[in-house]
Amino acid sequence: MKSDKRPQGEPAVPNGDALLGSLFAQTAVGIAVISPEGPFLRVNEALCRMLGYAEQELLQKTVRDITHADDLESTQELQLELLGPGARVRERRYLRKDGSALWVQIAGTSVRDGSGSPQCFVALVHDITELKLAQDALKASESRFRRMVELSSDWYWVQDENFRFVELPGVEKRGIDPEAFIGKARWELRGPGSLPEKAWRQHREKLERHEPFSDFVYMTPDNAGEMRYLSVTGEPIFDAQGKFTGYHGIGRDITDKARAQKDLEDSEQRYRMLFDIHPRPMWVVENKTLRFLAVNQAAVDHYGYSREEFLAMTAEQLRPPEDIAQLLKDFQDPSRSYMQRVARHRKKNGEQIDVEIVSFNFAFDGRPARLAVISDVTERLKAEQQARELEERYRALVESGKDPGSRRGS
């Protein structure tokens, strides 16, 4: 009789067959005992339910019979691995009785006899189809997201909780080495011509408040040492517990646009400088409202109105009432992009002057307008009038002198 060496009071442990039988019957995990050659030796109800076979049907099958064709090689690899020591875990696709596929995770090990030869394999089979579908959906979603990012930006970036870059996929396409960013905060990338300290401070304060931001523009050198203008948009990342874990966002290289804008601004600056220092009065009048949009210093000096007063006026206010109809007609004629005419203006002090106006159509801040150059021709016209009057008097004297001479000669 076999002695019971169990400590007094400790419950009895079922023998191996009873314990294995209980596990087979009770567990929801599929269990299979497999011959080294591949046929099933024993299967539980959970595995039968998973695959859609009755127990006796499944016992007529081999592992190869229920394995998806694309995973047959990996099944052979698993069998070879199971011959080694320890347990192995793999994922593969099995086929149900109806031909549909399911993803399973298999944890298996070999059972050996006293000489070390494998007697069978024992495998625990978990159905992970729903998990795989969820993973595939997540991958597809991530793929769509990355594609959307690629279409709307030049690269994607991720920062940790200390605002240091950890990922920048795509930035290398702009000639920038990602390694120059990794482990650094954005303000640590500054080079010549970077932003003022105040701008960096405001940006950093926004990040420390964990606020989203958009179109933050800064400069950094590329691999060739050339400064690039980068525009970035980002939002904070929080984990499931609401803890801040960093930032992510998109970036665009706007170097060409920024340079073109700078050239335009430089051009406009030169235009405004020439406009303002021009010795003759110049102004810009909006076509629709006839409001003054800009005036130069010469106009301010000549007419006596301040710049602020000019910008609160319309062109009609410089004209005598009887001349306004002609002014409106001139502005309402879109066919005349260039115009030269003489008109009458009034200064702030009430003095009326004669002016020659050369104007042409152009867009000012996106609005149809006319740029006019004004020449005060009051004195010239007076001189011309005086010259005409002198000429007329001279002719009158000449005519009057002919009659007496003709009488004397008769």
Side-chain angles (χ1 to χ4, degrees), residues 343-359:
R344 294 184 297 173
H345 282 175
R346 280 199 306 248
K347 294 184 179 181
K348 184 177 181 179
N349 62 10
E351 178 187 354
Q352 182 171 293
I353 58 174
D354 296 299
V355 295
E356 183 178 72
I357 305 172
V358 176
S359 64

Side-chain angles (χ1 to χ4, degrees), residues 271 274-275 278-285 292 294 296 298-299 302-303 319 331 338-343 345 354-362 370-377:
Y271 154 73
L274 292 173
F275 174 84
H278 199 282
R280 292 184 181 178
M282 295 178 68
W283 54 57
V284 178
V285 174
F292 288 98
N296 71 349
H302 196 72
Y303 283 79
R319 299 293 186 97
F331 269 91
Y338 172 85
M339 195 178 297
Q340 183 173 0
R341 62 198 181 280
V342 174
H345 282 175
D354 296 299
V355 295
E356 183 178 72
I357 305 172
V358 176
S359 64
F360 57 90
N361 290 329
F362 86 126
R370 292 189 76 86
L371 172 65
V373 181
I374 314 298
S375 299
D376 188 337
V377 295

Side-chain angles (χ1 to χ4, degrees), residues 302-330:
H302 196 72
Y303 283 79
Y305 294 102
S306 68
R307 195 181 303 271
E308 291 72 21
E309 288 174 324
F310 256 120
L311 297 181
M313 295 167 56
T314 62
E316 298 108 309
Q317 293 174 262
L318 295 182
R319 299 293 186 97
E322 60 271 22
D323 292 355
I324 292 177
Q326 182 60 46
L327 172 68
L328 296 175
K329 182 179 178 181
D330 291 341

Side-chain angles (χ1 to χ4, degrees), residues 68-365:
H68 193 283
D70 293 342
D71 292 345
L72 283 174
E73 186 176 353
S74 60
T75 299
Q76 293 173 341
E77 291 174 355
L78 178 62
Q79 289 175 330
L80 292 174
E81 287 184 7
L82 291 175
L83 293 175
R88 299 290 186 272
V89 179
R90 283 288 187 91
E91 292 181 1
R92 62 181 37 78
R93 283 164 294 179
Y94 276 175
L95 296 173
R96 297 186 179 92
K97 183 178 180 179
D98 62 8
S100 62
L102 74 157
W103 277 97
V104 295
Q105 184 183 73
I106 304 169
T109 188
S110 60
V111 179
R112 298 175 182 273
D113 60 19
S115 65
S117 299
Q119 291 182 305
C120 62
F121 304 129
V122 178
L124 302 180
V125 183
H126 298 263
D127 185 349
I128 60 170
T129 304
E130 291 187 3
L131 176 62
K132 276 290 187 181
L133 291 175
Q135 289 175 340
D136 290 344
L138 179 60
K139 288 179 180 177
S141 177
E142 289 178 347
S143 177
R144 288 193 296 269
F145 169 74
R146 288 189 177 274
R147 181 57 179 160
M148 180 183 68
V149 168
E150 289 173 359
L151 292 173
S152 62
S153 63
D154 294 330
W155 68 87
Y156 175 71
W157 56 267
V158 181
Q159 292 175 327
D160 63 16
E161 68 276 10
N162 295 312
F163 317 120
R164 295 173 300 207
F165 286 102
V166 294
E167 287 184 64
L168 292 102
V171 74
E172 67 280 357
K173 297 177 182 178
R174 312 307 299 180
I176 299 174
D177 182 6
E179 293 303 317
F181 283 72
I182 299 299
K184 296 180 181 178
R186 189 170 289 116
W187 46 86
E188 295 174 333
L189 303 168
R190 288 177 285 179
S194 190
L195 294 176
E197 192 62 37
K198 181 180 178 181
W200 284 114
R201 185 174 66 254
Q202 291 174 342
H203 176 62
R204 187 167 183 171
E205 289 172 352
K206 182 179 284 285
L207 298 185
E208 290 171 347
R209 292 193 299 268
H210 304 161
E211 297 177 358
F213 64 91
S214 61
D215 297 322
F216 178 74
V217 178
Y218 67 105
M219 297 172 66
T220 193
D222 61 15
N223 296 339
E226 183 180 356
M227 298 303 294
R228 312 295 298 180
Y229 290 84
L230 309 183
S231 174
V232 291
T233 296
E235 62 181 13
I237 307 172
F238 300 93
D239 63 16
Q241 288 71 43
K243 181 183 177 183
F244 172 73
T245 60
Y247 268 85
H248 70 161
I250 58 174
R252 292 180 296 119
D253 185 340
I254 61 167
T255 302
D256 292 342
K257 181 180 178 181
R259 287 176 178 167
Q261 180 65 29
K262 189 174 185 303
D263 289 343
L264 178 60
E265 290 174 356
D266 290 345
S267 176
E268 289 182 350
Q269 183 64 29
R270 288 192 294 271
Y271 154 73
R272 289 182 181 275
M273 181 181 67
L274 292 173
F275 174 84
D276 204 51
I277 66 173
H278 199 282
R280 292 184 181 178
M282 295 178 68
W283 54 57
V284 178
V285 174
E286 186 177 20
N287 283 357
K288 185 176 181 180
T289 64
L290 272 62
R291 296 188 67 86
F292 288 98
L293 302 178
V295 294
N296 71 349
Q297 188 59 42
V300 170
D301 295 339
H302 196 72
Y303 283 79
Y305 294 102
S306 68
R307 195 181 303 271
E308 291 72 21
E309 288 174 324
F310 256 120
L311 297 181
M313 295 167 56
T314 62
E316 298 108 309
Q317 293 174 262
L318 295 182
R319 299 293 186 97
E322 60 271 22
D323 292 355
I324 292 177
Q326 182 60 46
L327 172 68
L328 296 175
K329 182 179 178 181
D330 291 341
F331 269 91
Q332 290 168 0
D333 184 359
S335 65
R336 303 183 66 182
S337 59
Y338 172 85
M339 195 178 297
Q340 183 173 0
R341 62 198 181 280
V342 174
R344 294 184 297 173
H345 282 175
R346 280 199 306 248
K347 294 184 179 181
K348 184 177 181 179
N349 62 10
E351 178 187 354
Q352 182 171 293
I353 58 174
D354 296 299
V355 295
E356 183 178 72
I357 305 172
V358 176
S359 64
F360 57 90
N361 290 329
F362 86 126
F364 185 86
D365 290 340

